[in-house]
């Protein structure tokens, strides 16, 4: 009998070992994709080919109710009502993939109503309690395995890389100093640490419920994340090291949106390596750090003053034209970029195609562009991730012994296989290199 118990214990250890060493592939599902049109509309069934590659599926996003500070569905009709019940549809993937963990994420920049509530909540113990209790209940009711906190902290101010006024401007800023984006930084950092602790306590009461954090792009982690105090409370941290440049934040200057290392003369803090190092240098075990890889592209309009070489940083004129499917200025899904690239298989369209410029050093990423044509059609400059660069990021993750990758998000990858016939090429390429 004793040997049988011993043997069962041995089996349990053997069974547990791969899951603790296996790299995480955290797949974000953005529920907004359900209401896009035509080819961009992604239904939960479209997720199926992706899910076998994912260790975690994260449902984005729930929000915070402004008056009560409760965590609530952002779209009841879609998320929980009988007509769609997407929360349930997504958590039901566990029937087919028993090892899969499905988390419900809150925030993620999807929650736009009264954005200051995210700071206010952190200032009040009562508000935190209301949030924590409602969060655990909501996740539990719909079969989630835990919660991902993609907190909407204030963002760092965008800065120009170069400017004809460069030296003068620099002098002015030095004299007056830079105003902080949040005058209660310390209080919010403390409140956030308390929130994570309280959430962990509440989730501990439930069996096996997980807690992850997502650091959104352009949130200065050193201001808000007290690494030694929170890292042992969470299962992993997704570091969204992308969107260092966006057409919204940087309408006049385009640059690599998610370089692995610092390109020459750029802010040494705005790249993957720096974002990840903040956590590991502050004492986080590297296997708890998950690197976020964006599947979407950021685009800008080139104008007559944009350097025709296309080399970034480059002067531009606001967001690029909307894509045919995603229909949002300055943003393209990977299949939308793919369709614009010069490719012998493509039909000759009305517009000239984009020329792709790869980076042989594998440090900064790929961009593509076309200059203005002589008929006055504006050019386009695009920074994006493709299967190759996503694979390079996965290799970076592997070389640094990080916990894995997250794909942000599945709906912007080529989920229909329009580019080459392979569905989810970015997810696949990254997973393959882990
Ligand atoms: C983040 O904040 C620290 C101070 O805590 C500052 O030194 C650093 O420059 C900031 N990073 C960015 C990218 O603004």
């Amino acid at each position: 009998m004793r040997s049988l118990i011993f043997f069962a214990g041995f089996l349990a250890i053997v069974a547990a070992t791969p899951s603790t060493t296996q790299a995480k592939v955290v797949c974000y599902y953005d529920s907004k994709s359900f209401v896009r049109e035509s080819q961009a509309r992604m239904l939960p069934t479209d997720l199926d080919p992706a899910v076998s590659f994912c260790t975690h599926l994260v449902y984005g996003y729930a929000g915070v109710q402004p008056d009560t500070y409760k965590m609530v569905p952002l779209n009841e009709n879609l998320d929980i009502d009988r007509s769609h019940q997407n929360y349930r549809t997504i958590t039901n993937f566990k029937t087919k993939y028993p090892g899969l963990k499905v988390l419900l994420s809150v925030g993620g920049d999807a929650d736009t109503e009264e954005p200051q509530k995210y700071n206010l909540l952190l200032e009040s113990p009562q508000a935190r309690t209301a949030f924590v209790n409602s969060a655990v209940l909501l996740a539990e009711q719909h079969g989630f395995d835990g919660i991902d906190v993609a907190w909407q902290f204030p963002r760092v101010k965008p800065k120009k890389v170069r400017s004809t006024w460069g030296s003068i401007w620099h002098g002015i800023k030095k004299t007056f100093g830079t105003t902080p984006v949040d005058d209660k930084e310390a209080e919010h950092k403390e409140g956030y640490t308390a929130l994570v602790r309280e959430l962990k306590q509440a989730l501990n009461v439930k069996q096996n419920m997980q807690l992850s954090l997502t650091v959104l792009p352009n949130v200065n982690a050193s201001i808000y994340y007290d690494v030694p105090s929170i890292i042992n409370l969470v299962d992993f941290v997704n570091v969204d090291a992308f969107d260092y440049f966006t057409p919204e934040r940087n309408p006049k200057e385009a640059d690599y949106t998610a370089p692995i290392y610092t390109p020459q003369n750029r802010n040494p803090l705005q790249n993957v390596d720096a974002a990840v190092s903040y956590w590991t240098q502050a004492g986080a075990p590297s296997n708890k750090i998950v690197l976020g890889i964006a599947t979407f592209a950021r685009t800008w309009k080139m104008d007559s003053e944009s350097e025709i070489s296309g080399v970034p940083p480059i002067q531009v004129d606001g967001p690029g034209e909307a894509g045919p499917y995603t229909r949002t200025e300055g943003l393209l899904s990977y299949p939308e970029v793919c369709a614009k690239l010069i490719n012998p298989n493509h039909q000759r369209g009305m517009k000239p195609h984009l020329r792709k410029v790869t980076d042989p050093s594998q440090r900064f990423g790929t961009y593509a562009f076309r200059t203005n044509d002589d008929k006055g059609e504006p050019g386009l400059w695009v920074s994006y991730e493709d299967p190759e660069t996503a694979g390079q990021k996965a290799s970076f993750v592997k070389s640094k012994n990080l916990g894995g990758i997250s794909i942000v998000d599945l709906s912007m990858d080529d989920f229909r296989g329009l580019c080459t016939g392979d569905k989810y090429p970015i997810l696949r390429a990254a997973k393959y290199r882990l």
Side-chain angles (χ1 to χ4, degrees):
M1 185 62 190
R2 196 181 293 165
S3 65
L4 195 65
I5 292 172
F6 177 77
F7 184 59
F10 175 72
L11 277 186
I13 290 165
V14 170
T17 308
S19 65
T20 51
T21 54
Q22 185 196 17
K24 292 180 181 65
V25 179
V26 181
C27 298
Y28 280 74
Y29 164 66
D30 186 348
S31 60
K32 250 192 321 211
S33 57
F34 193 89
V35 293
R36 292 197 189 111
E37 285 170 55
S38 74
Q39 302 276 43
R41 182 167 196 223
M42 184 162 99
L43 304 179
T45 49
D46 292 317
L47 288 168
D48 198 71
V51 177
S52 63
F53 296 102
C54 310
T55 58
H56 293 72
L57 192 55
V58 181
Y59 193 112
Y61 290 91
V64 173
Q65 201 168 48
D67 316 320
T68 64
Y69 295 108
K70 284 184 178 166
M71 177 163 143
V72 289
L74 279 179
N75 188 334
E76 285 199 8
N77 169 39
L78 212 62
D79 297 333
I80 58 172
D81 283 356
R82 232 162 237 221
S83 46
H84 296 301
Q85 306 188 73
N86 279 353
Y87 278 5
R88 197 38 92 171
T89 312
I90 299 294
T91 56
N92 276 348
F93 271 111
K94 287 189 285 177
T95 317
K96 189 166 174 191
Y97 303 99
L100 182 73
K101 297 285 176 201
V102 187
L103 309 181
L104 179 58
S105 186
V106 59
D109 284 338
D111 186 9
T112 49
E113 192 191 350
E114 301 190 32
Q116 71 282 8
K117 69 196 170 192
Y118 280 86
N119 269 346
L120 295 174
L121 191 155
L122 299 178
E123 295 167 17
S124 151
Q126 291 81 4
R128 290 200 305 264
T129 303
F131 175 81
V132 166
N133 292 341
S134 59
V136 176
L137 190 66
L138 186 65
E140 203 184 18
Q141 272 175 341
H142 298 92
F144 288 97
D145 298 299
I147 291 166
D148 174 61
V149 180
W151 206 253
Q152 293 180 186
F153 282 117
R155 303 308 159 91
V156 300
K157 285 200 184 122
K159 285 194 187 118
K160 271 199 124 185
V161 177
R162 45 177 216 183
S163 147
T164 42
W165 300 93
S167 51
I168 301 168
W169 177 230
H170 213 78
I172 293 171
K173 266 201 300 202
K174 273 215 176 108
T175 317
F176 293 93
T178 44
T179 46
V181 284
D182 177 0
D183 51 18
K184 290 189 191 169
E185 286 173 2
E187 185 179 350
H188 295 143
K189 184 181 204 165
E190 237 171 78
Y192 183 74
T193 304
L195 179 75
V196 172
R197 191 180 303 119
E198 290 153 10
L199 201 46
K200 176 64 179 173
Q201 278 161 3
L203 289 167
N204 261 353
V205 175
K206 313 288 170 188
Q207 267 191 334
N208 290 328
M209 281 188 102
Q210 297 203 343
L211 176 60
S212 67
L213 310 178
T214 294
V215 186
L216 293 177
N218 298 306
V219 168
N220 187 334
S222 69
I223 292 178
Y224 296 109
Y225 291 85
D226 178 355
V227 179
S229 304
I230 58 178
I231 197 66
N232 295 320
L233 302 170
V234 301
D235 291 280
F236 57 94
V237 178
N238 298 293
V239 178
D240 281 355
F242 51 78
D243 272 352
Y244 291 113
F245 272 74
T246 69
E248 198 181 324
R249 289 169 52 85
N250 317 84
K252 293 292 170 193
E253 190 177 47
D255 203 355
Y256 296 108
T257 54
I260 299 179
Y261 296 102
T262 319
Q264 220 180 6
N265 299 326
R266 312 304 210 283
N267 184 337
L269 296 172
Q270 297 193 320
N271 56 78
V272 167
D273 187 47
V276 164
S277 297
Y278 168 71
W279 288 86
T280 51
Q281 282 170 9
S286 59
N287 67 4
K288 280 203 173 177
I289 304 305
V290 169
L291 175 63
I293 299 174
T295 50
F296 52 83
R298 295 297 183 186
T299 77
W300 289 261
K301 219 182 290 162
M302 288 176 81
D303 67 8
S304 55
E305 271 146 73
S306 308
E307 297 82 346
I308 56 165
S309 69
V311 177
I314 183 167
Q315 185 173 333
V316 284
D317 185 27
E321 67 200 355
Y325 308 138
T326 53
R327 297 188 190 172
T328 309
E329 277 199 331
L331 176 89
L332 292 175
S333 64
Y334 176 62
E336 285 173 328
V337 174
C338 179
K340 285 178 186 286
L341 295 174
I342 293 170
N343 179 329
N345 299 329
H346 283 157
Q347 302 268 325
R348 272 198 171 275
M350 293 288 286
K351 278 180 189 163
H353 284 113
L354 297 178
R355 186 154 70 82
K356 172 176 170 175
V357 182
T358 56
D359 166 27
S361 77
Q362 307 193 358
R363 294 168 69 86
F364 313 127
T366 294
Y367 62 90
F369 72 103
R370 63 154 200 266
T371 51
N372 297 13
D373 70 8
D374 39 19
K375 292 181 214 90
E377 181 68 40
L380 189 67
W381 197 93
V382 181
S383 175
Y384 67 106
E385 211 74 71
D386 66 8
E388 208 180 315
T389 58
Q392 288 159 10
K393 287 191 171 162
S395 296
F396 172 88
V397 162
K398 198 173 173 185
S399 72
K400 300 269 176 185
N401 286 314
L402 303 182
I405 52 164
S406 58
I407 299 294
V408 189
D409 71 274
L410 294 174
S411 74
M412 291 283 176
D413 197 350
D414 184 11
F415 66 91
R416 295 188 191 280
L418 299 174
C419 296
T420 62
D422 275 343
K423 290 180 178 174
Y424 296 101
I426 293 180
L427 165 65
R428 277 169 199 260
K431 157 86 185 169
Y432 180 71
R433 297 277 289 272
L434 269 185

